[in-house]
Structure formats: C-alpha cells, structure tokens
Amino acid sequence: MAHLGVADLAHVAQAAYGRELRDVVRLHGGSKKGVYRLTLDDGTTGVAYVWRTSEDYWPAHEHDPLFGNASGRDLFLTAHTALSEAGACVPRLVLVHSDVVVVEDLGAEFLEKVLDHDTEALERLWDDLAAVHQRTSPRYGRPGALQPVDAPPVPDVVLQRALGHLDACCERVPRIAAERDRLEAELRQRHAVVEPRAEYGLVHGELGPDHVLVADGRPVLIDIEGAMFFDVEWEHAFLELRFGPHHRPAPGLDPARMSLYRLAQHLSLVEGPLRLLDGDFPHRDAMREIAEHNVERVLSC
C-alpha cells in the first residue's frame, strides 16, 4: 500500500499553517486511516488524519451502522465534539479539509509505554472516562445518528453480532468450531439473564492504552471515531482486556452484561484480526497474537 508524501499533503500544510511542508512520515498503527506527522519548513509539526480507500486496510464488509468500519472525517468530528463536551481531552483541531483533518502534534508518549509507572495519568483517565460515561442518552447509537426508539435492545444487538462472529470464527479456527454448540449456548444463557435498560452512556468504543496519549500528565484520547451511546459495560469489558490489572471498574456495573460482553469481545477479537489478515495489513504478527490470545479466552469460557 502506497503512503502519501510531501507532494500529496503540501496543500494541506499550506492551508493549515501557511507554511511549506518539508517532510511527511506515516505513523505506526493506523488500519482504517492514515496518520501522518507533518514537519514544516520552520521545524514545527502537526498530525494529519487521512481517510481514503487507499489508507484502509480492512477488507470490504457488510455495513453495520454501530460496529461497522468506524472511520471517516464526519464520524471523527462528531465524536470529537461529543467527547470534548463530556469532559475528555482530545487533540485540538487545526484544520478540517475534505477527507483530511489536521490536529495538534502533542509529541506525547502513548499511555501503554508508561502504564506501569505513570499512576497520575492513569487515574486521570479513569476520572475522565467516568465523566464521559455519565453523559447519557435514552437511545443508543452514534452521536447525531441515534437508533430509533423501537430499535432492538443493546444486549440483543450484541448477541446477534457475537453469534455472527462465532460463525466466522468456526470457519477459520477448528478449535472453536469443535466447541460451537457449547459456545452458542453459553452466549444465549448469558444473554437470557440481562435485565432491560432505558439509558445509555457515551463510550469511546475501542479504548486501549495505545489509544491514549499522555501530554503534560493529561490523558488525551485518540482514534475516537467509534464513540457512541451504548451500555458502559461494553466499554468496561474491553477496558478489562486491554488494561488488565490497571483497569478500574466503575461502581454499579451490571454483572450480567459484563459476562455477556466479555465473551462477545473475545469473539470479536478473534474474528476482526483474522479478517484484517485477509488484506495486506503490514503488522501481521501482532494481529495473529491478538487472535490467538482471544481464541484461548473464548475456549476457556
């Protein structure tokens, strides 16, 4: 996959900063958009997010308004506004231009690099997330595009998605296929005991320590396009997986939802990485490790 260079982004730098662009480097990690550090002729830098088909490593997949390819300038801007208003820190906007957004370059470490010793930033993250989760809506969905009042309950949505992931996993992983009936029964049993709910919290949607920068001691959320109103247990099930012993559970989490969503998250983290490997995503060993780890977690359920 060809990456963009100075000639491709010179007009963006000129529009954002009124300066000449000296260098462009594609930063590690993006699978749905290109993330480029722009270095200007005076040595200052910015970060450009680029949403183009050529920057998306994910194979074409069935459209899903909630969990589908959460990517695009408009999703980013809507999430940026919603998270900012809820009290989270996100990178400052410098320019919105067609399919490119330029934000400040914080020059910061990822939280995953300092997780074991920067307890202040971690505690601030949990406080910020608590504030975000307290921003609620009577309907779930993406900010500005909430689902209709008569939409299926969130646990039903998660169950159907998990069953689809189970089918896909069975096609790719013989060990899961051998346990298919047991795993389907487990999903349905966990779903059956979930009680109705009429309010949903704002969640990031894919928050790991690699999606948090630490700038001057403050956690800054990135990769925010998946933000939506949803059960906060969905977020906490993912936070458990990604933060491990550093995770701080929120008071009042529903154990039944957590149980269902944990298994659903594990299935998603088998299906997604294996599907990503159908394309030309470059960091293939990391995706295989994620998939294999979650295969083991699924089978231990």
Side-chain angles (χ1 to χ4, degrees):
M1 182 177 289
H3 295 161
L4 302 181
V6 171
D8 303 296
L9 294 172
H11 68 291
V12 172
Q14 187 63 230
Y17 301 103
R19 305 200 65 93
E20 298 297 316
L21 182 60
R22 189 177 72 198
D23 190 32
V24 172
V25 176
R26 194 180 197 276
L27 302 181
H28 174 77
S31 65
K32 298 176 183 177
K33 65 179 178 289
V35 182
Y36 291 90
R37 174 166 285 120
L38 311 177
T39 301
L40 308 177
D41 57 3
D42 65 349
T44 60
T45 60
V47 172
Y49 297 146
V50 181
W51 292 274
R52 295 178 185 172
T53 303
S54 60
E55 298 286 349
D56 189 346
Y57 286 101
W58 287 86
H61 196 247
E62 182 179 353
H63 175 68
D64 181 336
L66 286 175
F67 295 103
N69 197 5
S71 185
R73 187 200 69 172
D74 292 344
L75 280 178
F76 174 86
L77 294 174
T78 303
H80 190 280
T81 298
L83 290 167
S84 297
E85 291 178 348
C89 188
V90 290
R92 179 178 58 85
L93 296 176
V94 177
L95 175 73
V96 178
H97 181 85
S98 184
D99 55 358
V100 179
V101 168
V102 179
V103 300
E104 63 180 327
D105 184 1
L106 294 166
E109 287 269 23
F110 284 99
L111 181 58
E112 66 179 343
K113 300 291 187 182
V114 298
L115 194 58
D116 290 325
H117 60 268
D118 195 339
T119 56
E120 180 181 352
L122 189 60
E123 288 304 307
R124 292 188 72 173
L125 174 64
W126 300 134
D127 291 342
D128 287 353
L129 277 182
V132 169
H133 292 165
Q134 288 167 13
R135 181 64 60 93
T136 60
S137 168
R139 292 186 289 157
Y140 65 87
R142 301 198 184 280
L146 298 176
Q147 296 296 293
V149 174
D150 60 351
V154 162
D156 292 9
V157 173
V158 171
L159 174 64
Q160 292 308 311
R161 181 173 184 262
L163 290 172
H165 285 164
L166 177 58
D167 287 341
C169 290
C170 287
E171 294 176 2
R172 297 173 180 269
V173 185
R175 287 176 293 160
I176 291 181
E179 297 284 337
R180 195 216 179 284
D181 291 346
R182 179 182 70 81
L183 290 169
E184 178 176 351
E186 186 68 29
L187 282 167
R188 293 189 182 280
Q189 287 167 10
R190 296 185 186 199
H191 170 267
V193 297
V194 177
E195 297 291 336
R197 175 178 286 170
E199 193 171 67
Y200 306 97
L202 182 63
V203 302
H204 176 283
E206 194 183 8
L207 191 60
D210 56 336
H211 289 170
V212 182
L213 294 170
V214 180
D216 297 324
R218 180 71 190 269
V220 182
L221 307 187
I222 61 171
D223 291 318
I224 59 176
E225 294 93 314
M228 61 181 170
F229 288 97
F230 212 63
D231 280 345
V232 297
E233 288 85 358
W234 179 256
E235 182 113 285
H236 276 281
F238 191 77
L239 293 170
E240 279 186 348
L241 297 178
R242 297 294 285 109
F243 283 87
H246 300 286
H247 173 239
R248 188 174 83 185
L253 293 175
D254 175 14
R257 279 177 167 78
M258 289 297 294
S259 178
L260 172 63
Y261 296 168
R262 285 186 188 106
L263 180 50
Q265 291 278 14
H266 289 310
L267 285 165
S268 176
L269 289 170
V270 176
E271 188 275 341
L274 292 181
R275 179 161 49 88
L276 185 57
L277 290 173
D278 288 342
D280 57 356
F281 185 70
H283 310 294
R284 305 182 73 80
D285 288 344
M287 287 299 108
R288 291 190 186 97
E289 288 175 8
I290 291 170
E292 179 57 32
H293 173 76
N294 283 281
V295 166
E296 297 299 330
R297 299 296 297 270
V298 166
L299 294 175
S300 68
C301 288

